[in-house]
Amino acid sequence: MKNILFILSAIFILTSSQSQNILSEKNTFTKQDTLRGSITPERAWWDVTYYHLDIKVNPDEKFISGKNTIHYKVLDNRAVMQIDLQAPLKLTKATQNGKDLEVKHDGNAHFITLAKEQNIGDVNYVTVFYEGHPKEAVNAPWDGGLSWKKDNNDKHFIATSCQGLGASVWWPNKDHLYDEVDSMQISVNVPKDVVNVSNGRLRLVERIGDTKTYHWFVKSPINNYAVNMNIGDYVSFSEVYDGQGGNLDMSYYVLRDNLTIATEHFKDAPKMMKAFEHWFGQYPFYADGFKLVEVPYLGMEHQSSVTYGNQYKKGYLGNDISGTGWGLKFDFIIIHEAGHEWFGNSITNKDVADMWIHESFTSYSENLFLDYYYGKDAAADYVIGTRKKIVNDIPIIGKYYNVNQGGSGTDMYYKGANILHTLRQLIDDDEKWRQILRKMNLEFYHQTVTTQQIENFLSKETEIDLSAFFNQYLRTTKIPTLEYTFKNKTLKYRWTQVIEDFDMPIRVKIADQDQWLFPKAAWQELKTPSSNATISVDRNFYVDVKAL
């Protein structure tokens, strides 16, 4: 990986760099961007219900081949279906009811003309075949694709990563976040000396000559980029966690040489589960269990198969991203990537422009993990410490152009976390805030959502009109600035660098007395007991302060 791994304290954290590369700002878009990012007519008429991805991996040749059987419900009478598969992989054939179908290729989008009449309400299936040398990830997970590596014993060590780039970089599917498949089987054939680990639960291992096929089954809805394939000389250990949903199987797959260190280091996983079930409610995927899987890159939030490559270090590759010391109390990758099980995998944005829903809430979960184990002040130190990562380059929300375009790849993480931390202050009731987060995970359980749905929910549950709050923080790069001046025992104050109608109250201390101010864009006045009174603003609010 880049030198950034070794000089973390001097520049942005790599999770931010990840999204900067994956979802980087673009000003011009191509037809392929539109085909990838929009709900085309050839996507809209059918609802995907089930996939069976059945593939063979040839590690020596860096080659994969196989098929995906796609079950779908007909929503409209149409006959052309869009399936996505990225070059250099080739979609070689499509069949329905044993008959070959016409396929027209347009870059990474493939349009299949179905011969069978598609009647509304019917559940049909089509099988697509493919093969080739998939895009190799040069700097996974930031550029995405297949990582073809070897471990220290010269055994194959292979993994997929495809957030932003899209799952169609390694398997054919309906590659848009708005439609999640209801359940899925993943069958992967590999050489007999290695193991495949994918999402869900292992149902069967078939021995076929010098190979083995691992059959995994996912019972829960899953977004495409959360589907994964990990191949290595894995050994495993497991535990049963007594959680809010009953017994939860927690399994860990690591390279053979790392079993001893992993057995101790992965104790952060049940600690994570305890803290997050407290804050967010029941783990969303009891039916599929929870796994940590070692991979040859840093890590990713693959559903029920969270990938791990943080070198068995606390913090972020041994670094504290907050600079406070609190970031070394936990393994960043375990806590952050597992947090995505609630925000990203259970609650999923429909459009990449709303990726902040995944990253802001999950970055904030790091704060809440610390809150649970070390207290509110430690958690505040941490999240406030991450403000130095904020750049305010472009708004957090991306462009709704149907082109797979995200917002600020940096600020959706720690600006987003500080926005949520500020919202907690406005609510001024920690138990109410906790219940809101838990209700949010019930309300949008296993759903794809929009920013507007999340905004409306939070406004309703907090009983605060948060329209201007979110417009300010999500849709502009301006930091609200509290300007003030003292004169003749009068405090004058106002908001600057704000949008119209921004009127967020703020907690301050004046002459050692805590109180709330209610600034607006126009000057407000408050009588003070002394002309020498001092004012300090609560550090938990993400604002700037300017004395005139």
Side-chain angles (χ1 to χ4, degrees), residues 491-509:
L491 170 67
K492 294 181 66 176
Y493 59 94
R494 68 177 180 179
W495 284 124
T496 62
Q497 294 296 306
V498 292
I499 63 169
E500 186 178 357
D501 299 328
F502 184 82
D503 59 356
M504 181 180 78
I506 191 165
R507 192 165 46 225
V508 301
K509 182 174 286 188

Side-chain angles (χ1 to χ4, degrees), residues 379-398:
D381 287 347
Y382 177 84
V383 73
I384 292 167
T386 65
R387 288 178 186 170
K388 63 180 175 290
K389 306 295 182 184
I390 300 172
V391 295
N392 282 307
D393 51 349
I394 58 173
I396 288 177
I397 290 181

Side-chain angles (χ1 to χ4, degrees), residues 249-526:
D249 294 321
M250 300 185 70
S251 303
Y252 311 100
Y253 288 82
V254 300
L255 292 182
R256 186 173 302 277
D257 289 352
N258 294 332
L259 178 60
T260 300
I261 190 173
T263 303
E264 178 64 27
H265 192 81
F266 282 2
K267 288 180 179 178
D268 266 2
K271 287 182 65 177
M272 169 278 301
M273 196 63 67
K274 186 175 183 180
F276 288 171
E277 286 205 327
H278 169 81
W279 282 107
F280 306 139
Q282 180 177 314
Y283 173 68
F285 305 107
Y286 270 75
D288 295 316
F290 174 86
K291 292 190 294 294
L292 277 178
V293 186
E294 187 173 359
V295 291
Y297 61 85
L298 190 62
M300 184 63 74
E301 64 264 28
H302 299 109
Q303 183 175 308
S304 72
S305 182
V306 174
T307 51
Y308 176 85
N310 199 39
Q311 301 176 12
Y312 300 99
K313 295 178 180 179
K314 294 292 187 179
Y316 190 103
L317 291 168
N319 295 280
D320 173 14
I321 63 171
S322 73
T324 65
W326 292 112
L328 295 176
K329 296 293 186 182
F330 59 92
D331 185 308
F332 177 93
I333 292 299
I334 294 176
I335 304 310
H336 180 91
E337 301 304 344
H340 276 301
E341 294 280 51
W342 285 263
F343 301 101
N345 295 343
S346 179
I347 303 175
T348 307
N349 54 256
K350 286 185 178 179
D351 192 300
V352 169
D354 292 332
M355 185 61 76
W356 78 276
I357 298 169
H358 296 203
E359 300 301 349
S360 297
F361 280 93
T362 301
S363 295
Y364 183 61
S365 75
E366 300 156 27
N367 161 284
L368 295 179
F369 177 86
L370 286 168
D371 191 307
Y372 186 83
Y373 287 105
Y374 300 99
K376 193 172 178 179
D377 288 343
D381 287 347
Y382 177 84
V383 73
I384 292 167
T386 65
R387 288 178 186 170
K388 63 180 175 290
K389 306 295 182 184
I390 300 172
V391 295
N392 282 307
D393 51 349
I394 58 173
I396 288 177
I397 290 181
K399 298 175 180 177
Y400 295 106
Y401 293 166
N402 292 324
V403 287
N404 199 49
Q405 178 63 41
S408 173
T410 299
D411 287 352
M412 69 173 69
Y413 289 83
Y414 291 108
K415 181 179 180 181
N418 277 280
I419 292 168
L420 294 172
H421 187 62
T422 300
L423 179 55
R424 179 180 182 175
Q425 313 314 310
L426 296 178
I427 296 168
D428 200 25
D429 182 334
D430 290 344
E431 181 57 24
K432 181 176 181 178
W433 178 226
R434 183 173 83 96
Q435 294 303 328
I436 287 171
L437 293 172
R438 291 171 67 89
K439 186 173 181 179
M440 180 176 167
N441 277 278
L442 286 174
E443 185 95 359
F444 302 112
Y445 177 78
H446 290 182
Q447 291 184 37
T448 57
V449 300
T450 65
T451 286
Q452 199 59 57
Q453 286 177 275
I454 299 302
E455 288 185 32
N456 291 345
F457 171 83
L458 290 173
S459 286
K460 177 183 176 183
E461 296 301 321
T462 60
E463 301 176 282
I464 304 170
D465 183 354
L466 295 170
S467 302
F469 175 85
F470 283 121
N471 285 337
Q472 172 78 30
Y473 280 114
L474 294 180
R475 297 177 176 89
T476 81
T477 59
K478 298 177 181 178
I479 305 174
T481 301
L482 182 68
E483 289 189 345
Y484 72 93
T485 183
F486 276 114
K487 188 175 183 180
N488 298 327
K489 296 185 179 182
T490 299
L491 170 67
K492 294 181 66 176
Y493 59 94
R494 68 177 180 179
W495 284 124
T496 62
Q497 294 296 306
V498 292
I499 63 169
E500 186 178 357
D501 299 328
F502 184 82
D503 59 356
M504 181 180 78
I506 191 165
R507 192 165 46 225
V508 301
K509 182 174 286 188
I510 301 175
D512 293 324
Q513 296 294 316
D514 290 327
Q515 66 183 88
W516 286 87
L517 295 182
F518 298 87
K520 300 181 184 300
W523 284 107
Q524 311 290 306
E525 293 188 356
L526 178 70

